[in-house]
Amino acid sequence: MAKITFVTFDGARIEANAENGSTVMENAIRNAVPGIDAECGGACACATCHVYVDEDWTSTTGEPEAMEEDMLDFAYDVRPNSRLSCQIRVSDDLDGLVVHVPERQA
C-alpha cells in the first residue's frame, strides 16, 4: 500500500491510501479528487486524467510509453513531468507520491 497526495490546482491536498496494483487515476476517482475526469475509465484513450508528477518522483514513476505520449498530445498545458494517472501503477515504491492536478483537463 502507498500513500498518494493529490494537490489540486487551488492548492488543496488530498491524501489517499492506494492498494498496490491499482492506478493513480483509480485512487483519484475513489477519493473524488477534483479535476480528474477520467472519461475513458483508464483505457489510455483520452487525456482527462492528466497530472504533473512532483519533480522528486519523476524518476520513480518513469517515462510515459508511446501510447501515453500520443494521448498527452491532447492534454492541456503539457510539461516534462506530465503523465496520465491511469498509466501509473501503484506499488510500495510509490509510497509518498505527490501529483499535481492541472488547471483543467483537455
Side-chain angles (χ1 to χ4, degrees):
M1 182 167 296
K3 181 172 282 187
I4 301 171
T5 301
F6 297 90
V7 182
T8 64
F9 184 72
D10 64 4
R13 296 174 77 83
I14 299 167
E15 291 189 354
N17 290 317
E19 293 289 329
N20 287 347
S22 65
T23 66
V24 171
M25 181 219 70
E26 290 168 336
N27 289 282
I29 297 302
R30 279 189 204 115
N31 290 277
V33 174
I36 301 292
D37 299 334
E39 290 176 1
C40 75
C44 197
C46 70
T48 61
C49 68
H50 175 219
V51 294
Y52 304 118
V53 175
D54 193 84
E55 298 293 333
D56 292 339
W57 289 94
T58 55
S59 63
T60 307
T61 57
E63 297 290 323
E65 292 187 13
M67 190 166 84
E68 181 181 353
E69 282 185 2
D70 289 345
M71 291 314 305
L72 281 168
D73 288 341
F74 299 101
Y76 172 76
D77 191 23
V78 175
R79 300 176 186 172
N81 59 332
S82 287
R83 291 292 309 269
L84 298 181
S85 59
C86 69
Q87 298 302 297
I88 304 172
R89 186 93 26 209
V90 175
S91 68
D92 289 338
D93 292 340
L94 294 183
D95 187 32
L97 175 66
V98 177
V99 296
H100 301 264
V101 180
E103 179 180 7
R104 64 183 176 89
Q105 297 292 346

